[in-house]
Amino acid sequence: MTSSLTLELMLFLAFALTTNTKPQKLVVKLIHTNSIFSPYYNPSESTKDRADRTVKNSNARFKYLQAKVKRNFVVENDDYTYVASLKNVVHGFSVSFLIGQPPVPQLAFMDTGSDLTWIQCRRCINCSSQKVPFYDHTSSSTYKNMPCADRSCESAKCDDDGNCIYEISYLDNTGSRGILGIERLIFETRDEGIVAVDDVVFGCGINNTGTFGLGSGMFGLGYASNSIVNHLGRKFSYCVGDVQDPFYSYNKLKLGKDVDIEGDSTRFELIDNFYFVTLEWISIGQERLDIDFSIFERVEDRGGVIIDSGSELTHLPKAAYAKITNKVFNIINGFLTPTWINVDGFKQLCYYGNIFRNLRGFPTITFHFSGGAELELEVGSIFFKLDEGLSCLAFLPGDSDEQVSIIGILAQQNYNVAYDIDKRRIYFQRIQCELLED
């Protein structure tokens, strides 16, 4: 755990919890991989090391989402329950919690594109390495099996003992397979208290192949009947500040029916566990870019725009990417010297110097959604540091204009992004996360 509340004290308090709880609002910390508060933090890594991981993770995420929404990925069988992407996720925001009794600390990656929360279990056939202890469901007094006969079991597959099983499949033939169970999760809150949430459906990974980034699994924020979002009131929000500041400590996740929801909103559509929104136009400063916005429309199994927590960078169709790049180039021309750098296979517009100081007052790039909601990107969301003294556009192009677009977490900085499942709306509240009340 990463606060003044020691792990020993948390474990003692967790042992003392015996009452069932379902909080009206749960507020927990989000921990970025590059944060000094993360067990993954490596002070010897360079800015370029971290940037390379950002780009590789974002590209892997884009390829997965593109394959999934087109439904052209291949798995050995087609009767799995859940499909998600954790390939190369050694990067992103994680949720810290304890599970079971006795409580075992876990750190799982937050993902709006998965509805299942799952972790690796100790008695696994194959286990990927992780920096937190393995949970043993056979030793937990609060663990319950989910039998196949249970109406909450959405899978048609059972093991020899009659347990409901899940299977997560990846594009690179890695994944996780295990049993669905019901357990107590315990969270440290922002005010250093602890809250126990009982009867949470989760995946206990028994056969795990591949490298999952030294985390224990995934904390799913997609929606399904068995998801923790549904269990805790069908509302959630997250607020992230400066992702590139390793000392920033105010990133937070809220869950529960009393989650504060403010700001302008746009309607979302749930497709394959992803939150699709309608992007109507893009502006830079006061100028609306001349883009045919039919390229952002979802047509059958192609295109569409996803609000995503798993990708750091934003992916756009080639035509939109070219328009933004050309406009940024023309605005900065004469102030800074541009350079085009190969970034994981893409020729990316970059600039030398302290871009955050030199481009103070640079016009915002604004995404305009249906219903009037807007997402304004300032310099810290338009560029990311590729190396010391070198910054590049935080956008990457697709291979065509028919591919899915992803609005990554960098574009969502300094916003509280709230999801109301019942109303099918996403809200954007521009705010510094440290000012957001718990």
Side-chain angles (χ1 to χ4, degrees), residues 130-204:
Q130 61 183 49
K131 288 196 172 184
V132 293
F134 285 91
Y135 159 81
D136 186 351
H137 67 290
T138 65
S139 299
S140 173
S141 63
T142 49
Y143 174 81
K144 293 177 284 189
N145 279 334
M146 179 181 286
C148 283
D150 193 302
R151 67 177 184 177
S152 296
C153 180
E154 298 177 350
S155 173
K157 297 174 65 176
C158 301
D159 64 13
D160 294 338
D161 296 322
N163 296 312
C164 184
I165 68 173
Y166 76 93
E167 185 171 345
I168 296 176
S169 301
Y170 303 88
L171 291 178
D172 58 354
N173 294 320
T174 65
S176 176
R177 185 177 188 273
I179 59 176
L180 289 180
I182 302 169
E183 210 9 320
R184 167 181 289 180
L185 302 189
I186 302 167
F187 298 88
E188 178 186 356
T189 61
R190 288 281 308 176
D191 60 1
E192 298 186 351
I194 59 173
V195 174
V197 181
D198 287 320
D199 299 325
V200 176
V201 175
F202 79 108
C204 182

Coordinates of all heavy atoms in Angstrom, one line a residue, residues 130-204:
Q130 N 4.6 -11.5 -10.3 CA 4.0 -10.3 -9.9 C 4.6 -9.8 -8.6 O 5.3 -10.5 -7.9 CB 2.5 -10.5 -9.6 CG 2.2 -11.6 -8.6 CD 0.6 -11.8 -8.5 OE1 -0.1 -12.0 -9.4 NE2 0.2 -11.8 -7.2
K131 N 4.5 -8.5 -8.3 CA 5.2 -7.9 -7.2 C 4.3 -7.8 -5.9 O 4.7 -7.2 -5.0 CB 5.6 -6.4 -7.6 CG 6.8 -6.4 -8.6 CD 7.4 -5.1 -8.6 CE 8.7 -5.1 -9.5 NZ 9.4 -3.8 -9.5
V132 N 3.2 -8.5 -5.9 CA 2.4 -8.6 -4.7 C 2.1 -10.0 -4.5 O 2.3 -10.9 -5.4 CB 1.0 -7.8 -4.9 CG1 1.2 -6.3 -5.0 CG2 0.3 -8.3 -6.1
P133 N 1.7 -10.4 -3.2 CA 1.5 -11.8 -2.9 C 0.4 -12.5 -3.8 O -0.5 -11.8 -4.2 CB 1.1 -11.8 -1.4 CG 1.6 -10.5 -0.9 CD 1.5 -9.6 -2.1
F134 N 0.5 -13.8 -4.0 CA -0.5 -14.5 -4.7 C -1.6 -14.8 -3.7 O -1.4 -15.3 -2.5 CB 0.0 -15.8 -5.3 CG 0.8 -15.6 -6.5 CD1 2.2 -15.4 -6.5 CD2 0.2 -15.6 -7.8 CE1 2.9 -15.2 -7.6 CE2 0.9 -15.4 -8.9 CZ 2.3 -15.2 -8.9
Y135 N -2.9 -14.7 -4.1 CA -4.0 -15.0 -3.3 C -4.4 -16.5 -3.4 O -4.4 -17.0 -4.5 CB -5.2 -14.1 -3.8 CG -6.6 -14.6 -3.4 CD1 -7.1 -14.4 -2.1 CD2 -7.4 -15.3 -4.4 CE1 -8.4 -14.8 -1.8 CE2 -8.7 -15.7 -4.1 CZ -9.2 -15.5 -2.8 OH -10.4 -15.9 -2.5
D136 N -4.7 -17.1 -2.3 CA -5.0 -18.5 -2.2 C -6.5 -18.6 -1.9 O -6.8 -18.5 -0.7 CB -4.1 -19.3 -1.2 CG -4.4 -20.8 -1.3 OD1 -5.3 -21.2 -1.9 OD2 -3.6 -21.5 -0.6
H137 N -7.4 -18.9 -2.8 CA -8.8 -19.0 -2.5 C -9.2 -20.1 -1.6 O -10.2 -20.0 -0.9 CB -9.6 -19.0 -3.8 CG -9.4 -20.3 -4.6 ND1 -8.3 -20.7 -5.2 CD2 -10.3 -21.3 -4.8 CE1 -8.4 -21.8 -5.8 NE2 -9.6 -22.3 -5.6
T138 N -8.3 -21.2 -1.6 CA -8.6 -22.3 -0.7 C -8.4 -22.0 0.8 O -8.8 -22.7 1.6 CB -7.8 -23.5 -1.1 OG1 -6.4 -23.3 -0.9 CG2 -8.1 -23.9 -2.6
S139 N -7.6 -20.9 1.0 CA -7.3 -20.5 2.4 C -8.1 -19.4 2.9 O -7.9 -18.9 4.0 CB -5.8 -20.2 2.5 OG -5.0 -21.3 2.2
S140 N -9.1 -18.8 2.1 CA -9.8 -17.7 2.5 C -11.2 -18.1 3.1 O -11.9 -18.9 2.4 CB -10.1 -16.8 1.3 OG -11.0 -15.7 1.6
S141 N -11.5 -17.6 4.3 CA -12.8 -18.0 4.9 C -14.0 -17.3 4.3 O -15.1 -17.7 4.5 CB -12.7 -17.7 6.4 OG -12.6 -16.3 6.6
T142 N -13.7 -16.3 3.5 CA -14.8 -15.5 2.9 C -15.0 -15.9 1.4 O -15.9 -15.3 0.8 CB -14.6 -14.0 3.0 OG1 -13.2 -13.7 2.6 CG2 -14.7 -13.5 4.4
Y143 N -14.2 -16.8 0.9 CA -14.4 -17.2 -0.5 C -15.6 -18.1 -0.7 O -15.8 -19.0 0.1 CB -13.1 -17.9 -1.0 CG -13.3 -18.4 -2.4 CD1 -13.2 -17.6 -3.5 CD2 -13.6 -19.8 -2.6 CE1 -13.3 -18.1 -4.8 CE2 -13.7 -20.3 -3.9 CZ -13.6 -19.4 -5.0 OH -13.8 -19.9 -6.3
K144 N -16.3 -17.9 -1.8 CA -17.4 -18.8 -2.2 C -17.3 -19.2 -3.7 O -17.0 -18.3 -4.5 CB -18.8 -18.2 -1.9 CG -19.1 -18.0 -0.4 CD -20.4 -17.3 -0.2 CE -20.3 -15.8 -0.6 NZ -21.5 -15.0 -0.2
N145 N -17.4 -20.5 -4.0 CA -17.5 -20.9 -5.4 C -18.7 -20.4 -6.0 O -19.8 -20.2 -5.4 CB -17.4 -22.4 -5.5 CG -16.0 -22.9 -5.4 OD1 -15.0 -22.3 -5.6 ND2 -15.9 -24.2 -4.9
M146 N -18.7 -20.1 -7.3 CA -19.8 -19.8 -8.1 C -20.1 -21.1 -8.9 O -19.5 -21.3 -9.9 CB -19.7 -18.6 -9.0 CG -20.9 -18.4 -9.9 SD -20.7 -17.0 -11.0 CE -20.8 -15.6 -9.8
P147 N -21.1 -21.9 -8.5 CA -21.4 -23.1 -9.3 C -22.1 -22.7 -10.6 O -22.7 -21.7 -10.8 CB -22.4 -23.8 -8.4 CG -23.0 -22.7 -7.6 CD -22.0 -21.7 -7.4
C148 N -22.0 -23.6 -11.6 CA -22.6 -23.4 -12.9 C -24.1 -23.2 -12.8 O -24.7 -22.6 -13.7 CB -22.2 -24.6 -13.8 SG -20.5 -24.5 -14.4
A149 N -24.7 -23.8 -11.8 CA -26.1 -23.7 -11.7 C -26.6 -22.3 -11.2 O -27.8 -22.0 -11.4 CB -26.7 -24.7 -10.7
D150 N -25.7 -21.5 -10.7 CA -26.0 -20.2 -10.3 C -26.4 -19.3 -11.4 O -25.7 -19.3 -12.5 CB -24.8 -19.6 -9.5 CG -25.2 -18.3 -8.7 OD1 -25.7 -17.4 -9.4 OD2 -24.9 -18.3 -7.5
R151 N -27.5 -18.5 -11.3 CA -27.9 -17.7 -12.4 C -26.9 -16.6 -12.7 O -27.0 -16.0 -13.8 CB -29.3 -17.0 -12.1 CG -29.3 -16.0 -10.9 CD -30.6 -15.4 -10.7 NE -30.7 -14.4 -9.7 CZ -31.7 -13.7 -9.4 NH1 -32.9 -13.9 -10.0 NH2 -31.7 -12.8 -8.4
S152 N -26.0 -16.3 -11.8 CA -25.0 -15.3 -12.1 C -23.9 -15.8 -13.0 O -23.0 -15.1 -13.5 CB -24.3 -14.8 -10.8 OG -25.3 -14.1 -10.0
C153 N -23.9 -17.2 -13.2 CA -22.9 -17.8 -14.0 C -23.3 -17.6 -15.5 O -24.3 -18.2 -15.9 CB -22.7 -19.2 -13.7 SG -21.4 -20.1 -14.7
E154 N -22.6 -16.8 -16.2 CA -22.9 -16.5 -17.6 C -22.2 -17.4 -18.6 O -22.3 -17.3 -19.8 CB -22.7 -15.1 -17.9 CG -23.5 -14.1 -17.1 CD -23.1 -12.7 -17.3 OE1 -22.1 -12.4 -18.1 OE2 -23.8 -11.8 -16.8
S155 N -21.4 -18.3 -18.1 CA -20.6 -19.2 -19.0 C -21.3 -20.5 -19.2 O -22.0 -21.1 -18.3 CB -19.3 -19.4 -18.4 OG -18.5 -20.4 -19.1
A156 N -21.1 -21.1 -20.4 CA -21.7 -22.4 -20.7 C -20.7 -23.5 -20.3 O -20.9 -24.7 -20.5 CB -22.1 -22.5 -22.1
K157 N -19.5 -23.1 -19.8 CA -18.4 -24.1 -19.5 C -18.3 -24.3 -18.0 O -18.4 -23.4 -17.2 CB -17.1 -23.6 -20.0 CG -17.1 -23.4 -21.6 CD -15.9 -22.8 -22.1 CE -14.7 -23.7 -21.8 NZ -13.4 -23.1 -22.4
C158 N -18.1 -25.5 -17.6 CA -17.9 -25.9 -16.2 C -16.6 -26.8 -16.1 O -16.3 -27.5 -17.0 CB -19.1 -26.7 -15.7 SG -20.6 -25.8 -15.7
D159 N -16.0 -26.8 -14.9 CA -14.9 -27.7 -14.7 C -15.5 -29.0 -14.1 O -16.7 -29.1 -14.0 CB -13.8 -27.1 -13.8 CG -14.3 -26.8 -12.4 OD1 -15.4 -27.3 -12.0 OD2 -13.6 -26.1 -11.7
D160 N -14.6 -29.9 -13.8 CA -15.1 -31.2 -13.3 C -15.8 -31.2 -12.0 O -16.5 -32.1 -11.6 CB -13.9 -32.2 -13.3 CG -13.3 -32.5 -14.6 OD1 -14.0 -32.4 -15.6 OD2 -12.1 -32.9 -14.7
D161 N -15.5 -30.1 -11.2 CA -16.2 -29.9 -9.9 C -17.4 -29.1 -10.0 O -18.0 -28.8 -9.0 CB -15.2 -29.3 -9.0 CG -14.0 -30.1 -8.7 OD1 -14.1 -31.4 -8.6 OD2 -12.9 -29.6 -8.6
G162 N -17.9 -28.8 -11.2 CA -19.1 -28.0 -11.4 C -19.0 -26.5 -11.1 O -20.0 -25.8 -10.9
N163 N -17.7 -26.0 -11.2 CA -17.5 -24.6 -11.0 C -17.6 -23.8 -12.3 O -17.2 -24.3 -13.4 CB -16.1 -24.3 -10.4 CG -16.0 -24.9 -9.0 OD1 -16.8 -24.7 -8.2 ND2 -14.9 -25.6 -8.8
C164 N -18.2 -22.6 -12.2 CA -18.2 -21.7 -13.4 C -16.8 -21.2 -13.7 O -16.1 -20.8 -12.9 CB -19.1 -20.5 -13.1 SG -19.4 -19.4 -14.5
I165 N -16.4 -21.3 -15.0 CA -15.1 -20.9 -15.4 C -15.1 -19.7 -16.3 O -16.1 -19.4 -17.0 CB -14.3 -22.0 -16.0 CG1 -14.9 -22.5 -17.4 CG2 -14.3 -23.2 -15.1 CD1 -14.0 -23.5 -18.1
Y166 N -14.0 -19.0 -16.4 CA -13.9 -17.9 -17.4 C -12.6 -18.2 -18.2 O -11.7 -18.9 -17.8 CB -13.8 -16.5 -16.7 CG -12.4 -16.3 -16.0 CD1 -11.4 -15.6 -16.7 CD2 -12.2 -16.7 -14.7 CE1 -10.2 -15.4 -16.1 CE2 -10.9 -16.5 -14.1 CZ -9.9 -15.9 -14.8 OH -8.7 -15.6 -14.3
E167 N -12.5 -17.5 -19.3 CA -11.3 -17.6 -20.1 C -11.1 -16.2 -20.8 O -12.0 -15.6 -21.4 CB -11.5 -18.6 -21.2 CG -10.2 -18.8 -22.0 CD -10.3 -20.0 -22.9 OE1 -11.2 -20.9 -22.7 OE2 -9.4 -20.2 -23.8
I168 N -9.9 -15.7 -20.7 CA -9.5 -14.4 -21.3 C -8.5 -14.7 -22.4 O -7.6 -15.4 -22.2 CB -8.9 -13.5 -20.2 CG1 -9.9 -13.1 -19.2 CG2 -8.4 -12.2 -20.9 CD1 -9.3 -12.3 -18.1
S169 N -8.8 -14.3 -23.6 CA -8.0 -14.6 -24.7 C -7.3 -13.3 -25.3 O -8.0 -12.3 -25.3 CB -8.8 -15.2 -25.8 OG -9.4 -16.4 -25.3
Y170 N -6.1 -13.4 -25.7 CA -5.3 -12.3 -26.2 C -4.9 -12.6 -27.7 O -5.0 -13.7 -28.2 CB -4.1 -12.1 -25.4 CG -4.3 -11.9 -23.9 CD1 -4.5 -13.0 -23.1 CD2 -4.5 -10.6 -23.4 CE1 -4.7 -12.8 -21.7 CE2 -4.8 -10.4 -22.1 CZ -4.9 -11.5 -21.3 OH -5.2 -11.3 -19.9
L171 N -4.5 -11.5 -28.3 CA -4.1 -11.6 -29.7 C -2.8 -12.4 -29.9 O -2.6 -13.0 -31.0 CB -3.9 -10.2 -30.3 CG -5.1 -9.4 -30.5 CD1 -4.8 -8.0 -31.0 CD2 -6.1 -10.1 -31.4
D172 N -2.0 -12.5 -28.8 CA -0.7 -13.2 -29.0 C -0.7 -14.6 -28.4 O 0.3 -15.1 -28.0 CB 0.4 -12.4 -28.4 CG 0.2 -12.1 -26.9 OD1 -0.9 -12.4 -26.4 OD2 1.0 -11.5 -26.3
N173 N -1.9 -15.2 -28.2 CA -2.1 -16.5 -27.7 C -1.7 -16.6 -26.2 O -1.5 -17.7 -25.7 CB -1.3 -17.5 -28.5 CG -1.8 -17.7 -29.9 OD1 -3.0 -17.7 -30.1 ND2 -0.9 -17.8 -30.9
T174 N -1.7 -15.5 -25.5 CA -1.5 -15.5 -24.1 C -2.9 -15.3 -23.5 O -3.9 -14.9 -24.2 CB -0.5 -14.4 -23.6 OG1 -1.1 -13.1 -23.9 CG2 0.8 -14.6 -24.2
G175 N -3.0 -15.4 -22.2 CA -4.3 -15.2 -21.5 C -4.4 -15.8 -20.1 O -3.4 -16.1 -19.5
S176 N -5.6 -15.8 -19.6 CA -5.9 -16.4 -18.3 C -7.2 -17.2 -18.3 O -8.2 -16.8 -19.0 CB -6.0 -15.2 -17.3 OG -6.4 -15.7 -16.0
R177 N -7.1 -18.3 -17.6 CA -8.3 -19.2 -17.5 C -8.4 -19.6 -16.1 O -7.4 -19.9 -15.4 CB -8.1 -20.4 -18.4 CG -9.3 -21.3 -18.4 CD -9.1 -22.5 -19.4 NE -10.2 -23.3 -19.7 CZ -10.6 -24.3 -18.9 NH1 -9.8 -24.7 -17.9 NH2 -11.7 -25.0 -19.2
G178 N -9.6 -19.6 -15.5 CA -9.8 -19.9 -14.1 C -11.3 -20.0 -13.8 O -12.1 -20.2 -14.6
I179 N -11.5 -20.0 -12.5 CA -12.9 -20.1 -12.0 C -13.4 -18.8 -11.5 O -12.7 -17.9 -11.0 CB -13.0 -21.2 -10.8 CG1 -12.1 -20.7 -9.7 CG2 -12.6 -22.5 -11.3 CD1 -12.2 -21.7 -8.5
L180 N -14.7 -18.6 -11.7 CA -15.4 -17.4 -11.1 C -15.8 -17.7 -9.7 O -16.4 -18.8 -9.4 CB -16.6 -17.1 -11.9 CG -16.4 -16.5 -13.3 CD1 -17.7 -16.2 -14.0 CD2 -15.5 -15.3 -13.3
G181 N -15.4 -16.8 -8.8 CA -15.8 -16.9 -7.4 C -16.4 -15.7 -6.9 O -16.6 -14.7 -7.6
I182 N -16.7 -15.7 -5.6 CA -17.4 -14.6 -4.9 C -16.5 -14.3 -3.6 O -16.2 -15.2 -2.9 CB -18.8 -14.9 -4.5 CG1 -19.6 -15.2 -5.8 CG2 -19.5 -13.7 -3.8 CD1 -21.0 -15.8 -5.5
E183 N -16.1 -13.1 -3.4 CA -15.2 -12.8 -2.4 C -15.4 -11.4 -1.8 O -16.1 -10.6 -2.3 CB -13.8 -12.9 -3.0 CG -12.6 -13.3 -2.2 CD -12.7 -13.8 -0.8 OE1 -13.4 -13.3 0.0 OE2 -11.9 -14.7 -0.5
R184 N -14.7 -11.1 -0.7 CA -14.6 -9.8 -0.1 C -13.4 -9.1 -0.6 O -12.3 -9.6 -0.6 CB -14.6 -9.9 1.4 CG -14.2 -8.7 2.2 CD -14.1 -8.8 3.7 NE -15.4 -9.1 4.2 CZ -15.7 -9.3 5.5 NH1 -14.6 -9.3 6.4 NH2 -16.9 -9.4 6.0
L185 N -13.6 -7.8 -1.1 CA -12.6 -6.9 -1.4 C -12.5 -5.8 -0.4 O -13.6 -5.3 0.0 CB -12.7 -6.3 -2.8 CG -12.9 -7.3 -4.0 CD1 -12.8 -6.5 -5.3 CD2 -11.8 -8.4 -4.0
I186 N -11.3 -5.4 0.0 CA -11.1 -4.4 1.0 C -10.3 -3.3 0.4 O -9.2 -3.5 -0.2 CB -10.4 -5.0 2.3 CG1 -11.3 -6.1 2.8 CG2 -10.2 -3.9 3.3 CD1 -10.6 -6.9 3.9
F187 N -10.7 -2.0 0.6 CA -10.1 -0.9 -0.1 C -9.6 0.1 1.0 O -10.3 0.4 2.0 CB -11.0 -0.2 -1.0 CG -11.5 -1.0 -2.2 CD1 -12.6 -1.8 -2.0 CD2 -10.8 -1.0 -3.4 CE1 -13.1 -2.6 -3.1 CE2 -11.2 -1.8 -4.4 CZ -12.4 -2.6 -4.3
E188 N -8.4 0.7 0.8 CA -8.0 1.8 1.6 C -8.6 3.1 0.9 O -8.4 3.3 -0.3 CB -6.5 1.9 1.6 CG -6.0 3.1 2.4 CD -4.5 3.3 2.4 OE1 -3.8 2.4 1.8 OE2 -4.0 4.3 2.9
T189 N -9.3 3.9 1.6 CA -9.9 5.1 1.1 C -8.9 6.2 1.1 O -7.9 6.2 1.7 CB -11.2 5.4 1.9 OG1 -10.8 5.7 3.2 CG2 -12.2 4.3 1.8
R190 N -9.3 7.3 0.4 CA -8.5 8.5 0.4 C -8.2 9.1 1.7 O -7.1 9.7 1.9 CB -9.1 9.6 -0.5 CG -9.1 9.2 -2.0 CD -7.8 9.5 -2.7 NE -7.3 10.9 -2.4 CZ -6.2 11.3 -2.8 NH1 -5.4 10.5 -3.5 NH2 -5.8 12.5 -2.6
D191 N -9.1 8.9 2.7 CA -8.8 9.5 4.0 C -8.2 8.5 5.0 O -8.2 8.6 6.2 CB -10.2 10.0 4.6 CG -11.2 8.9 4.8 OD1 -10.9 7.7 4.4 OD2 -12.3 9.2 5.2
E192 N -7.6 7.4 4.4 CA -6.9 6.4 5.1 C -7.7 5.5 6.0 O -7.3 4.9 7.0 CB -5.7 7.0 5.9 CG -4.7 7.7 5.1 CD -3.5 8.2 5.9 OE1 -3.5 8.2 7.1 OE2 -2.5 8.7 5.2
G193 N -9.0 5.5 5.7 CA -9.9 4.5 6.3 C -9.9 3.2 5.4 O -9.2 3.2 4.4
I194 N -10.6 2.2 5.8 CA -10.8 1.0 5.0 C -12.3 0.7 4.9 O -13.0 0.9 5.8 CB -10.0 -0.2 5.6 CG1 -10.4 -0.5 7.0 CG2 -8.5 0.1 5.5 CD1 -9.8 -1.8 7.5
V195 N -12.6 0.1 3.8 CA -14.0 -0.3 3.5 C -14.0 -1.7 2.9 O -13.2 -1.9 2.0 CB -14.7 0.7 2.5 CG1 -16.1 0.2 2.1 CG2 -14.8 2.1 3.1
A196 N -14.8 -2.5 3.4 CA -14.9 -3.9 2.9 C -16.2 -4.0 2.0 O -17.2 -3.5 2.4 CB -15.0 -4.9 4.0
V197 N -16.0 -4.6 0.9 CA -17.2 -4.8 -0.1 C -17.3 -6.3 -0.2 O -16.4 -7.0 -0.7 CB -16.9 -4.2 -1.4 CG1 -18.1 -4.4 -2.3 CG2 -16.7 -2.7 -1.2
D198 N -18.4 -6.9 0.2 CA -18.7 -8.3 0.1 C -19.4 -8.7 -1.2 O -20.0 -7.9 -1.9 CB -19.5 -8.8 1.3 CG -18.7 -8.8 2.6 OD1 -17.5 -9.1 2.6 OD2 -19.2 -8.3 3.7
D199 N -19.3 -10.0 -1.4 CA -20.0 -10.7 -2.5 C -19.7 -10.1 -3.9 O -20.5 -9.9 -4.8 CB -21.5 -10.5 -2.3 CG -22.0 -11.2 -1.0 OD1 -21.4 -12.3 -0.7 OD2 -22.9 -10.7 -0.3
V200 N -18.4 -9.8 -4.1 CA -17.9 -9.4 -5.4 C -17.5 -10.6 -6.3 O -16.8 -11.4 -5.8 CB -16.6 -8.4 -5.2 CG1 -16.1 -8.0 -6.6 CG2 -17.0 -7.2 -4.4
V201 N -18.1 -10.6 -7.5 CA -17.7 -11.7 -8.4 C -16.4 -11.3 -9.0 O -16.1 -10.2 -9.5 CB -18.8 -11.8 -9.5 CG1 -18.4 -12.8 -10.6 CG2 -20.1 -12.2 -8.9
F202 N -15.5 -12.3 -9.0 CA -14.1 -12.1 -9.6 C -13.6 -13.3 -10.2 O -14.2 -14.4 -10.0 CB -13.2 -11.6 -8.5 CG -12.7 -12.7 -7.6 CD1 -11.3 -13.2 -7.7 CD2 -13.5 -13.4 -6.7 CE1 -10.9 -14.2 -7.0 CE2 -13.0 -14.4 -5.9 CZ -11.7 -14.8 -6.0
G203 N -12.6 -13.2 -11.1 CA -12.0 -14.3 -11.7 C -10.7 -14.7 -10.9 O -9.9 -13.9 -10.6
C204 N -10.6 -16.0 -10.6 CA -9.4 -16.6 -9.9 C -8.6 -17.3 -11.0 O -9.0 -18.4 -11.4 CB -9.9 -17.5 -8.8 SG -8.6 -18.2 -7.8

